[in-house]
Amino acid sequence: MSKASVEEIKLESQGLRGVIAENFADAALTHVDDAENVLLKFHGSYQQDDRDKRAALTKEKKEKAWSFMVRSKMPGGRITAEQWLIHHDLCVLSEGSLRLTNRQGIQLHGVLKGNLKAVIAGICRSGLTTMGACGDVVRNTMAPAAPIKDAARADAQLLSEELSQRFLWRSSAYADIWLDGEKIDPDWAQVEVNPDVRARTVAKDEKAAEDPIYGKLYLPRKFKIGIAIQPQNDVDVFSQDLGFVPHLVNGEVEGYTITVGGGFGMSHGQLNTRPFLAQPLLYVKRANLVDAAEAIVTTQRDHGNRTERKHARMKYTIQTMGIDAFRAEVISRLPGIETFPAKPIPFATVEDNLGWHEQGDGKLFCAVYVSMGRITNREGGPQYLDCFNEIARDLKLPFIITPNTNVIIAEIAPEQKAAVEAILAKHAVPHADGMTATRRVAHACVALPTCGLSLSESERALPGVLDEFDSILRELGLENDPILVRMTGCPNGCGRPYNADFGFVGRAPNKYALFVGGSIAGDRLAGLEIKSVQRADIAATIRPYLEAYKAGRTAGETFSAWFGRTRTNGEAPTPEQFHIELAERAERLAGEKVTAAG
Ligand code: SRM
Ligand code: SF4
């Protein structure tokens, strides 16, 4: 019998139920089969194996070291002290650390099959959820991290909660499998949108019924939403399937510009796959925004490619339909709702506001740098696990996970500042002030040893690469210049490398494709500069770029602006530039000219 496709698995799953419960009830099974693994993603978990052990186990003809990754969702990265403490305590049922994600979620790795139910139930009882953290549905909604009390930020956070609520999948399978049927709505699913919406979307017992938004087939592929407030693009809004940017009139949010079609996954050498930045679609008044989001999600549901998963993201749907036809389709799904042309949305940076800041209501927040988003106690280094545990336990302060995988400690009364500082110092948590601007904003995806798709190291490699960057930057006096470096272990692009100044994309062990020429504002794609750089050659490879920048920049010019001015004429890379390195392309073009002339 041929292997069922993902579409068939979804269709036959009875509301994403499958036989997950039976699989987990059978203690003799060490892992689940492919179909159950597909469904498990919608519940917020991935089956993985320890790749550090894989080769030795294979050699000994032993089974892989199976375990599960569990991903918690929290719109805008908001997590209370109690919820943090619950995640902290759940670490004992995992490999022992928490991994902050660059979509403001939290992952636990290495959860054994027998512990998965307890971990998911624990997260749900904390008031958060893992439902829809992965799978072909709307994922965790991102929102600006900084808890500054102003109208735009308050509304962006509320919107992220409304969107999360609207796009939760509806089936009792989740409660039945993980919570023994108990209904637990996460805190943010209690937000009232309006009575009609609430009545339609609140969790119901719909055992085999069709999901009101997703139908029986759910979406063709994952779907990501982010909200950004100018000029800070911390959520990397142009990398999202669907982005929102608020506009204020008389100090109140009047409406949002909507962007669509961002997405970063590609495959090395497969010319029909590539990253895209989102493009403007419409401007919509605030009251109609969640409905507009639903019109876009259902357009993708109905027009997305369901035969080729590599072409199923909304970025390809828009390329196939054309942005004008896509817009017309969305508008046709919004009868009676007025839409307007998108407004300009210039941004300045994707950075977090690291360090201490005022919230604007008399309280303070402190954004703490977390190396590679890994909350662990490092031998001879920062004791992140103990530090945040103590702050949550003793000071009861809420946290916010940032899109650059750092932690904001929020709602700090001025008289608590010294206590926070003391706990950070006691646990050797570094202050971002002494760091290069590059280190402050750099990010790597998880990759080895847990990610089944990684081709090279990323989280474990970037700190060393940053040491090399740091030493060149300090030597050249560029330590305060914002130069965006990102790394991923494979071309799927989880570390968002394709809009960085320098993006390292894993090809093979110790080998990276080098993309150069994105932008610190996240609004320009980088092109493939060198197909394969050995890990050991990275420092020598980047040095000439930094030297040329130092020599050629005008006063105050960022690396991104300099590269655009001198190397690409400010133009985005052509589609083929994601696959063919610049030198090779230049040669080929020169060859074509010779042929044409001859
Ligand atoms: Fe991702 C798959 C980790 C953000 C694009 N991503 C994966 C998996 C689940 C591997 C797998 O499918 O077996 C990784 C689990 C590794 C592990 O061991 O933990 C994984 N992705 C991550 C995280 C944890 C990286 C991080 O360092 O933070 C991020 C989780 C965010 C979250 O909380 O939901 C994460 N992934 C991203 C992003 C960035 C973003 O969303 O802002 C992208 C690029 C944007 C995009 O989606 O286009 C991204 N991940 C992918 C893709 C490529 C999708 C595509 O369109 O081709 C895959 C592979 C896939 O879906 O087939 C993937
Ligand atoms: Fe894994 Fe690749 Fe994503 Fe990194 S980019 S986490 S290696 S899928």
Side-chain angles (χ1 to χ4, degrees):
M1 203 183 101
S2 69
K3 218 169 126 187
S5 70
V6 173
E7 291 300 302
E8 286 164 338
I9 294 169
K10 290 187 281 187
L11 182 65
E12 285 156 21
S13 69
Q14 294 184 305
L16 303 174
R17 188 176 302 272
V19 287
I20 296 177
E22 290 80 349
N23 266 256
F24 278 84
D26 185 347
L29 292 177
T30 53
H31 62 285
V32 301
D33 66 22
D34 288 350
E36 268 19 77
N37 196 27
V38 165
L39 297 178
L40 203 51
K41 295 176 189 178
F42 291 79
H43 297 249
S45 180
Y46 271 70
Q47 179 165 263
Q48 302 182 317
D49 73 289
D50 185 338
R51 295 191 51 192
D52 284 348
K53 297 189 179 141
R54 196 189 273 180
L57 289 171
T58 311
K59 208 168 158 196
E60 291 168 32
K61 297 198 172 20
K62 287 191 178 147
E63 203 182 0
K64 288 176 178 168
W66 297 108
S67 68
F68 293 84
M69 175 269 273
V70 182
R71 190 181 283 167
S72 312
K73 253 168 77 172
M74 49 216 77
R78 268 62 181 174
I79 179 164
T80 65
E82 296 74 27
Q83 288 162 346
W84 182 272
L85 292 173
I86 287 172
H87 278 78
H88 175 96
D89 293 347
L90 288 172
C91 276
V92 296
L93 299 179
S94 75
E95 53 68 60
S97 69
L98 297 174
R99 176 52 151 82
L100 311 177
T101 77
N102 63 3
R103 296 194 64 76
Q104 302 178 284
I106 297 182
Q107 288 185 177
L108 287 124
H109 291 101
V111 177
L112 297 180
K113 182 167 166 278
N115 291 330
L116 188 62
K117 191 168 169 178
V119 170
I120 293 180
I123 291 167
C124 289
R125 297 216 164 85
S126 83
L128 296 176
T129 191
T130 68
M131 194 180 193
C134 320
D136 295 343
V137 286
V138 171
R139 303 289 188 88
N140 196 33
T141 307
M142 296 175 72
I148 296 166
K149 308 292 178 186
D150 63 24
R153 283 168 193 275
D155 195 61
Q157 181 57 26
L158 180 67
L159 176 61
S160 77
E161 291 163 13
E162 291 174 359
L163 291 165
S164 294
Q165 184 200 359
R166 174 77 70 104
F167 294 114
L168 266 187
W169 53 269
R170 311 288 161 187
S171 146
S172 60
Y174 186 84
D176 288 347
I177 295 169
W178 310 111
L179 309 168
D180 298 323
E182 202 181 329
K183 299 282 181 300
I184 300 179
D185 264 357
D187 280 351
W188 45 265
Q190 306 295 343
V191 175
E192 290 295 332
V193 183
N194 70 47
D196 294 344
V197 170
R198 185 76 186 152
R200 191 159 59 83
T201 60
V202 77
K204 293 187 214 102
D205 190 7
E206 293 169 302
K207 221 162 205 153
E210 267 192 37
D211 188 285
I213 292 178
Y214 297 124
K216 284 191 173 165
L217 285 173
Y218 299 85
L219 297 180
R221 208 61 166 83
K222 56 176 68 167
F223 195 100
K224 299 181 173 180
I225 304 182
I227 306 160
I229 298 174
Q230 295 160 288
Q232 190 180 14
N233 186 17
D234 56 344
V235 308
D236 240 320
V237 71
F238 301 110
S239 71
Q240 313 277 340
D241 292 273
L242 174 53
F244 294 103
V245 183
H247 298 274
L248 282 86
V249 175
N250 299 327
E252 294 301 320
V253 173
E254 187 209 55
Y256 282 74
T257 286
I258 301 178
T259 59
V260 288
F264 277 2
M266 60 171 253
S267 303
H268 288 306
Q270 287 189 19
L271 298 187
N272 57 355
T273 66
R274 56 165 286 208
F276 283 91
L277 287 182
Q279 42 187 323
L281 185 76
L282 292 168
Y283 176 81
V284 173
K285 293 271 174 66
R286 176 62 174 97
N288 303 318
L289 216 65
V290 183
D291 289 329
E294 185 169 325
I296 292 162
V297 169
T298 60
T299 299
Q300 160 66 358
R301 177 195 66 196
D302 299 340
H303 291 267
N305 186 331
R306 289 189 185 266
T307 50
E308 175 54 77
R309 280 184 73 77
K310 271 197 188 296
H311 273 117
R313 292 293 292 274
M314 194 167 78
K315 61 185 182 181
Y316 297 117
T317 313
I318 292 172
Q319 295 309 309
T320 306
M321 291 176 77
I323 186 72
D324 293 334
F326 185 89
R327 186 182 291 113
E329 179 62 34
V330 169
I331 292 172
S332 77
R333 290 169 189 239
L334 291 168
I337 290 181
E338 214 178 347
T339 59
F340 307 87
K343 297 178 191 266
I345 44 169
F347 283 95
T349 182
V350 296
E351 287 180 70
D352 290 335
N353 311 53
L354 289 176
W356 284 93
H357 302 274
E358 294 188 356
Q359 288 187 173
D361 60 353
K363 291 194 171 168
L364 306 169
F365 72 92
C366 179
V368 181
Y369 174 80
V370 178
S371 179
M372 307 298 118
R374 184 65 70 174
I375 304 285
T376 186
N377 291 334
R378 288 185 204 282
E379 230 182 289
Q383 308 292 294
Y384 286 117
L385 254 183
D386 290 351
C387 173
F388 291 115
N389 185 45
E390 197 169 324
I391 292 173
R393 188 191 61 211
D394 295 352
L395 303 180
K396 303 196 172 13
L397 293 168
F399 298 156
I400 299 164
I401 294 152
T402 79
N404 292 300
T405 68
N406 298 309
V407 171
I408 290 177
I409 308 164
E411 306 298 330
I412 307 172
E415 58 277 16
Q416 290 177 303
K417 182 174 179 184
V420 172
E421 289 275 31
I423 298 173
L424 292 173
K426 174 176 153 194
H427 296 290
V429 171
H431 211 290
D433 277 358
M435 294 176 191
T436 60
T438 289
R439 185 175 294 267
R440 287 163 67 106
V441 74
H443 171 67
C445 74
V446 177
L448 292 166
T450 50
C451 179
L453 305 178
S454 56
L455 305 171
S456 65
E457 295 284 355
S458 181
E459 181 184 321
R460 298 191 295 198
L462 187 62
V465 170
L466 289 177
D467 290 344
E468 294 169 13
F469 260 92
D470 275 6
S471 96
I472 300 173
L473 291 165
R474 289 190 198 283
E475 179 196 321
L476 298 176
L478 299 175
E479 63 269 28
N480 295 321
D481 288 86
I483 298 171
L484 185 59
V485 176
R486 288 172 166 175
M487 179 177 268
T488 61
C490 84
N492 283 315
C494 299
R496 299 194 286 261
Y498 302 115
N499 58 351
D501 288 316
F502 292 94
F504 296 94
V505 178
R507 285 198 86 92
N510 285 316
K511 283 189 187 148
Y512 299 87
L514 173 60
F515 287 76
V516 186
S519 130
I520 189 73
D523 58 1
R524 190 175 66 206
L525 285 174
L528 177 61
E529 190 86 346
I530 305 178
K531 259 185 196 159
S532 185
V533 179
Q534 290 281 351
R535 165 66 189 87
D537 296 335
I538 286 180
T541 307
I542 52 135
R543 177 180 275 279
Y545 292 94
L546 297 174
E547 286 177 345
Y549 164 54
K550 183 183 158 76
R553 67 176 169 175
T554 57
E557 194 175 36
T558 59
F559 183 89
S560 314
W562 167 79
F563 195 89
R565 178 172 64 81
T566 60
R567 303 291 294 275
T568 62
N569 243 345
E571 280 168 23
T574 58
E576 62 185 3
Q577 259 170 265
F578 297 103
H579 298 281
I580 300 169
E581 60 189 303
L582 289 180
E584 191 180 306
R585 184 167 166 270
E587 259 170 44
R588 195 171 52 75
L589 289 177
E592 273 166 15
K593 272 190 206 133
V594 171
T595 317

